[in-house]
């Protein structure tokens, strides 16, 4: 059908009887007439609606304009339908994993039972996407030609799959696929050489540490590049949120409103557990032991449609469940089930509700839903409060058991209890030191000496530990005084590499202990001198950074013990051999080991894909910061590819913002590359130079700030006009 602008529709109605519209089409028109999208000079959408539902309609429409393919891909993954668009055989098992939890009929029922206000937002979300497809016939979806409101319940947190992704698809395949061979566990990035640590940084600075006497917040997610849009959504119902939005979601995931801000960091909490089930064949099915009884194993069939070289086909899997969850693998003759949080209505309610929280008290009220399962949260508000909240979903469990390993499912003592209250978790509120940090490290250093006491909490509260970024954060925040947005940016991009503070001395000792007759002594003299004189700071002009990173990577590959190996277990010989390998690699790839880091570490965006065939001959720009592995607060996960010698990044700093709260909000931000996925758009790569140098741009939060910085203003369905 032909889409008319609201004004054209009124004129047509005045002249002749309009064709009857469907109820859905009438909603589209009402939303479009009540919504305005203003694009600033970076292409960022500032969406204003009369109601929250109007704002949701407009912001998802704007996301689809920016990159519909990513919106669709995220829902193909969250709905377990990726294999319908992708002929990769592994997509079948990713879909199977999702379908163990995501059932359309179940989500439809949950939608019908959800609060009216949330139903209205989910309906507006589906309307915005369907209206976009109606008014953009040139856009051809891979699979999802129509969106239904209940689909929003499949993707309620900021990461695809969230906790479900921790289930190994390799082991799932080994258990459910009779043709599968072996059952080795997956590793992150298996097969592509990518073991870059993921995560995020969040800093909250209290009024006692700032020049203005106002609280400030650093928002710094470390994710895949181009994984989130950046936008603002406002309404006459009190909504005014700005920040990073995971493609396809209708809430600001990491961001701020006029009164408060929130930054999520991946948590090391243990809140997903495996249970060893003692299963016995019984008739046509199975039973599992629970205490003194035998309970029936639930049997179901999951159908996974998938694309092949000759068309569509489908796989049918017989799957099993106990009261704790689905069976995902076998271990030592027992079936292993997984229990995790699955509460999509409350999760979506909490994700949206936090964006309208105006202060600490209201934020805590939203957290009482206990559905932000995989994240910690760093918070600040205009009242001067700063806070750290540990993972929001933590079931009470018997501390006698080691919950990092599968526990005996036949023992009722391993049953989950109710969740810990907010006050029962290792949180921090307004510490006297005046700052809070989290870098995916444990909460026990979140506020330096004012951090929670580890001995007061069960082990399952945190299974990780300190990390190099955490040590770095403490290093820059402890002495900080009279901070401004500019100095907060400087802290976020501080170039010190804390891990090499530990590693380089071990290498120097190994070199000094080596006999003068050893050929390595002569070969490595100049590289050792370079590292000896290094200030342990990255820069695009730094040769020691190149040597240290190549050496560290070579050493890391030698052992399987991670930091334990490279810091303590590697022998002096291994340390020197790793340096020799690094020097050889630099000389082979770049002609000399004396190659500045910026000539190696590059940012390049050639296509709309996140990972694509990078090209050493094509334009790229230098990036100074390194992998988070070495303690770089500004994270850049880069590596060489089979076709390249230079290293290209695909993850790390993706959206960076600093915010100051008070009578009004002041903020600066940058997004990796640019906001648009269209290679022909001026906003495809217009932020690349700012991204690579940490040159954050002003955020136009208020309408008066947009004056002189407006590229276009229009309603959904209209052509953009200046």
């Amino acid at each position: 059908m032909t889409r008319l602008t609201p004004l054209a529709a009124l004129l047509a109605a005045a002249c002749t009887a309009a064709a009857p519209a469907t109820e859905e089409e009438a909603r589209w028109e009402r939303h479009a007439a009540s919504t305005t999208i203003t694009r600033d000079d970076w292409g960022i959408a500032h969406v204003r609606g009369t109601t929250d539902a109007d704002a949701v309609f407009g912001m998802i429409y704007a996301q689809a304009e920016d990159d519909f393919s990513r919106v669709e891909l995220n829902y193909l993954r969250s709905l377990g339908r990726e294999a319908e668009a992708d002929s990769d055989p592994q997509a079948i098992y990713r879909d199977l994993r999702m379908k163990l939890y995501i059932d359309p009929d179940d989500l439809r029922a949950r939608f019908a039972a959800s609060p009216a206000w949330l139903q209205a937002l989910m309906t507006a979300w589906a309307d915005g996407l369907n209206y976009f497809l109606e008014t953009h016939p040139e856009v051809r979806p891979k699979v999802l030609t129509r969106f239904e409101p209940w689909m929003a319940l499949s993707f309620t947190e900021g990461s695809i799959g969230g906790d479900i992704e921790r289930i190994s698809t390799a082991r799932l395949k080994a258990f459910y696929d009779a043709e599968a061979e072996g059952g080795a566990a997956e590793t992150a990035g298996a097969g592509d050489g990518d073991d870059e640590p993921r995560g995020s940084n969040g800093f909250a600075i209290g009024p006692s540490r700032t020049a203005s006497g106002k609280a400030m917040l650093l928002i710094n997610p470390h994710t895949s590049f181009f994984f989130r849009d950046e936008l603002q959504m406002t309404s006459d119902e009190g909504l005014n949120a700005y920040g990073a939005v995971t493609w396809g979601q209708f809430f600001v995931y990491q961001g701020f409103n006029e009164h408060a801000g929130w930054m999520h960091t991946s948590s090391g909490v243990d809140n997903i557990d495996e249970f060893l089930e003692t299963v016995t064949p019984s008739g046509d099915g199975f039973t599992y032991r629970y205490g003194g009884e035998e309970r029936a194993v639930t049997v179901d069939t999951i159908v996974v449609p998938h694309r092949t070289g000759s068309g569509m086909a489908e796989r049918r899997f017989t799957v099993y469940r106990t009261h704790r969850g689905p069976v995902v693998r076998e271990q030592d003759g027992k079936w292993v089930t997984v229990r995790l949080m699955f509460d999509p209505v409350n999760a979506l309610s909490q994700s949206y509700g936090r964006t309208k929280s105006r202060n600490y008290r209201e934020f805590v009220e939203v957290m009482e839903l206990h559905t932000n399962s995989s994240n910690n949260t760093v918070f600040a508000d205009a009242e001067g409060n700063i806070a750290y909240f540990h993972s929001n979903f933590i079931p009470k469990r018997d501390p006698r058991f080691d919950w990092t390993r599968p526990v005996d499912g036949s023992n009722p003592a391993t049953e989950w209890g109710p969740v810990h209250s907010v006050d029962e978790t290792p949180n921090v509120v307004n510490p006297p030191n005046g700052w809070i940090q989290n870098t995916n490290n444990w909460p026990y250093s979140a506020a330096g000496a004012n951090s929670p006491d580890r001995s007061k909490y069960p082990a399952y509260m945190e299974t990780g530990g300190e990390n190099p970024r955490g040590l770095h954060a403490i290093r820059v925040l402890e002495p900080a005084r009279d901070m401004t947005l500019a100095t907060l940016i400087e802290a976020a991009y501080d170039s010190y590499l804390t891990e090499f503070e530990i590693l380089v001395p071990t290498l120097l000792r190994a070199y000094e202990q080596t006999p003068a007759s050893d050929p390595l002594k002569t070969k490595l003299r100049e590289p050792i001198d370079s590292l000896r004189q290094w200030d342990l700071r990255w820069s695009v002009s730094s040769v020691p950074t190149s040597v240290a990173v190549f050496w560290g990577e070579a050493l890391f590959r030698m052992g399987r013990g991670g930091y334990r190996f490279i810091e303590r277990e590697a022998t002096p010989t291994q340390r020197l051999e790793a340096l020799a390998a690094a020097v050889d690699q630099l000389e082979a790839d770049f002609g000399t080991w004396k190659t500045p880091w910026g000539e190696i570490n590059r940012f390049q965006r050639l296509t709309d894909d996140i990972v694509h065939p990078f090209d050493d001959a094509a334009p790229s720009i230098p990036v100074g910061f390194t992998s988070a592995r070495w303690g770089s607060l500004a994270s850049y996960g880069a590596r060489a590819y089979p076709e390249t010698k230079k290293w290209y990044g695909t993850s790390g700093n993706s959206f960076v913002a600093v915010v100051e709260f008070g009578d009004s909000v002041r903020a600066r931000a940058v997004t990796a590359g640019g906001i648009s996925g269209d290679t022909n758009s001026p906003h495809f790569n217009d932020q690349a130079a700012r991204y690579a140098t940490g040159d954050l741009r002003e955020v136009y939060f208020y309408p008066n700030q947009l004056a002189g910085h407006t590229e276009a203003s229009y309603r959904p369905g209209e052509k953009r006009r200046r």
Side-chain angles (χ1 to χ4, degrees):
M1 76 181 202
T2 302
R3 285 264 62 80
L4 299 177
T5 66
L7 177 59
L10 289 173
L11 292 174
C15 298
T16 183
T22 66
E23 179 181 347
E24 180 182 45
E25 291 168 348
R27 284 199 314 269
W28 292 352
E29 294 292 358
R30 288 195 299 270
H31 283 310
S34 302
T35 306
T36 302
I37 301 172
T38 300
R39 296 277 182 175
D40 67 24
D41 46 19
W42 299 99
I44 295 164
H46 302 257
V47 180
R48 181 163 191 84
T50 302
T51 65
D52 281 11
D54 294 330
V56 166
F57 176 90
M59 68 88 80
I60 198 64
Y61 180 97
Q63 285 186 60
E65 287 184 305
D66 289 339
D67 202 331
F68 175 80
S69 64
R70 291 201 194 287
V71 172
E72 182 187 20
L73 177 59
N74 281 353
Y75 279 89
L76 289 176
R77 289 174 173 170
S78 67
L79 290 165
R81 299 183 63 182
E82 186 181 1
E84 295 178 43
D86 189 347
S87 58
D88 176 9
Q90 295 307 310
I92 295 172
Y93 303 98
R94 292 193 293 270
D95 284 356
L96 173 62
R97 178 174 62 186
M98 293 304 298
K99 287 174 180 284
L100 288 173
Y101 293 90
I102 300 298
D103 173 46
D105 289 338
D106 172 65
L107 293 188
R108 289 186 185 98
R110 291 175 187 264
F111 170 81
S114 64
W117 69 267
L118 187 60
Q119 287 190 30
L121 298 185
M122 289 188 277
T123 300
W125 169 84
D127 283 345
L129 289 169
N130 292 329
Y131 188 56
F132 171 81
L133 291 176
E134 177 69 23
T135 54
H136 293 75
E138 73 281 5
V139 174
R140 299 183 180 276
K142 293 180 179 179
V143 175
L144 298 177
T145 58
R146 178 173 174 77
F147 290 81
E148 300 290 342
W150 59 267
M151 292 179 178
L153 291 173
S154 70
F155 189 12
T156 56
E157 283 195 304
S159 58
I160 298 298
D163 298 333
I164 296 173
E165 286 189 331
R166 302 193 198 181
I167 298 172
S168 164
T169 55
R171 289 173 168 175
L172 199 66
K173 177 180 179 180
F175 185 82
Y176 282 117
D177 191 338
E179 299 175 359
E181 295 182 2
E186 281 182 318
T187 58
D192 65 3
D194 180 8
D195 57 359
E196 172 65 18
R198 262 55 170 199
S200 301
N201 297 338
F203 297 170
I205 313 298
S208 66
R209 291 278 185 147
T210 66
S212 64
K214 301 172 181 177
M216 297 194 303
L217 182 69
L218 167 69
I219 300 170
N220 183 199
H222 297 166
T223 60
S224 297
F225 293 165
F226 327 126
F227 184 61
R228 295 193 173 108
D229 203 358
E230 178 183 349
L231 54 76
Q232 182 177 19
M233 53 190 303
T234 65
S235 80
D236 294 341
E237 295 182 333
L239 175 67
N240 191 0
Y242 187 106
V245 180
T246 309
W247 293 108
Q249 293 182 324
F250 63 74
F251 54 87
V252 173
Y253 179 59
Q254 292 158 320
F256 57 96
N257 58 40
E258 194 168 11
H259 306 285
W262 55 96
M263 169 60 210
H264 300 306
T265 59
S266 299
S267 180
V269 68
D270 179 358
N271 57 7
I272 300 173
D273 289 317
E274 292 187 324
F275 297 84
L276 295 169
E277 309 288 5
T278 303
V279 178
T280 304
S282 176
D284 294 333
F286 300 90
T287 62
Y288 66 101
R289 187 180 307 153
Y290 186 72
E293 61 179 305
E294 291 289 326
R295 296 185 175 184
V297 173
T298 301
V299 183
D300 195 7
T301 300
I302 289 178
V303 179
V304 180
H306 63 97
R307 185 170 298 279
T308 70
S310 58
M312 293 298 296
E314 64 179 37
R315 293 286 305 275
R316 302 178 71 86
F317 296 93
T318 300
V319 298
Y320 306 97
R321 306 175 192 273
T322 72
H323 71 284
R324 292 192 174 99
V327 178
V328 299
R329 64 187 179 92
E330 186 173 4
Q331 176 178 313
D332 300 328
K334 296 181 183 293
W335 288 4
V336 180
T337 56
V338 169
R339 187 168 186 183
L340 51 78
M341 186 208 79
F342 184 71
D343 189 4
V345 172
N346 281 331
L348 189 55
S349 298
Q350 182 170 352
S351 292
Y352 187 81
R354 76 169 68 95
T355 70
K356 299 185 75 171
S357 300
R358 294 170 295 180
N359 52 38
Y360 172 79
R361 177 183 57 79
E362 292 184 4
F363 199 85
V364 171
E365 288 178 1
V366 175
M367 291 199 68
E368 293 297 341
L369 289 170
H370 290 289
T371 50
N372 189 23
S373 65
S374 60
N375 296 308
N376 310 315
T377 303
V378 179
F379 173 89
D381 70 18
E383 296 178 1
N385 297 302
I386 62 173
Y388 166 83
F389 299 100
H390 200 53
S391 178
N392 188 225
F393 175 81
I394 310 176
K396 294 181 179 180
R397 282 153 288 176
D398 190 328
R400 294 175 300 168
F401 297 98
D402 180 1
W403 294 95
T404 64
R405 300 176 180 274
V407 295
D408 182 5
S410 68
N411 185 349
T414 62
E415 201 63 63
W416 279 7
V419 297
H420 284 276
S421 69
V422 173
D423 292 338
E424 291 174 332
T425 56
N427 301 331
V428 179
V429 181
N430 295 328
N433 59 296
W435 56 261
I436 289 170
Q437 60 83 24
N438 187 256
T439 64
N440 316 115
N441 55 336
W442 60 8
Y444 308 122
S445 62
N450 304 109
S451 302
D453 182 350
R454 182 184 181 190
S455 67
K456 295 181 179 180
Y457 298 94
Y460 58 71
M461 280 287 180
E462 174 64 40
T463 61
E466 190 55 89
N467 65 30
R469 279 180 293 130
L471 296 173
H472 192 173
I474 295 168
R475 177 189 173 95
V476 299
L477 292 176
E478 276 189 335
R481 298 291 189 279
D482 297 324
M483 294 190 75
T484 64
L485 288 183
T487 58
L488 182 55
I489 294 170
E490 290 175 5
Y493 286 86
D494 185 84
S495 59
Y496 196 72
L497 296 174
T498 46
E499 183 61 20
F500 288 117
E501 182 178 319
I502 299 171
L503 294 183
V504 169
T506 69
L507 178 63
L508 298 182
R509 286 194 298 271
Y511 183 77
E512 295 302 328
Q513 295 168 8
T514 301
S517 59
D518 192 319
L520 284 178
K521 193 83 169 185
T522 302
K523 175 184 176 69
L524 299 179
R525 179 178 58 80
E526 285 191 277
I528 285 288
D529 286 345
S530 173
L531 292 174
R532 196 190 309 276
Q533 298 169 26
W534 184 34
D535 61 2
L536 304 182
R537 292 188 174 276
W538 54 255
S539 75
V540 295
S541 61
S542 171
V543 170
T545 302
S546 303
V547 175
V549 169
F550 271 62
W551 168 63
E553 293 289 345
L555 191 63
F556 200 87
R557 290 191 295 269
M558 280 186 175
R560 298 184 179 275
Y563 289 115
R564 185 183 69 251
F565 175 80
I566 64 175
E567 291 177 359
R568 300 186 296 277
E569 296 179 355
T571 66
T573 298
Q574 286 175 315
R575 295 181 191 280
L576 294 176
E577 288 177 345
L579 181 59
V583 168
D584 290 344
Q585 188 69 54
L586 283 164
E587 291 178 341
D589 291 348
F590 302 101
T592 174
W593 65 266
K594 300 177 182 179
T595 303
W597 179 235
E599 293 184 20
I600 299 169
N601 202 47
R602 313 290 290 185
F603 180 89
Q604 185 178 87
R605 192 177 189 190
L606 300 176
T607 76
D608 63 350
D609 200 0
I610 295 173
V611 181
H612 51 78
F614 293 103
D615 186 353
D616 281 347
S620 63
I621 59 176
V623 176
F625 37 103
T626 76
S627 166
R629 175 176 292 136
W630 311 120
S632 182
L633 289 171
S635 171
Y636 194 69
R639 62 182 175 89
Y641 287 77
E643 304 83 7
T644 75
K645 302 297 184 183
K646 297 177 181 179
W647 290 19
Y648 297 96
T650 59
S651 68
N653 275 18
S654 51
F655 172 73
V656 187
V658 291
V659 192
E660 181 182 77
F661 299 96
D663 295 334
S664 60
V665 167
R666 296 175 57 233
R668 302 187 71 85
V670 72
T671 291
I675 208 66
S676 175
D678 180 0
T679 56
N680 296 315
S681 168
H683 305 301
F684 176 70
N685 209 30
D686 58 339
Q687 297 186 56
R690 285 181 175 270
Y691 169 81
T693 58
D695 183 13
L696 277 60
R697 51 179 170 70
E698 182 182 4
V699 168
Y700 309 130
F701 187 80
Y702 297 101
N704 68 314
Q705 293 176 310
L706 279 167
H709 298 287
T710 297
E711 180 180 88
S713 184
Y714 56 98
R715 297 187 186 280
E718 296 178 343
K719 290 184 178 180
R720 297 189 189 186
R721 62 178 186 273
R722 299 188 67 84

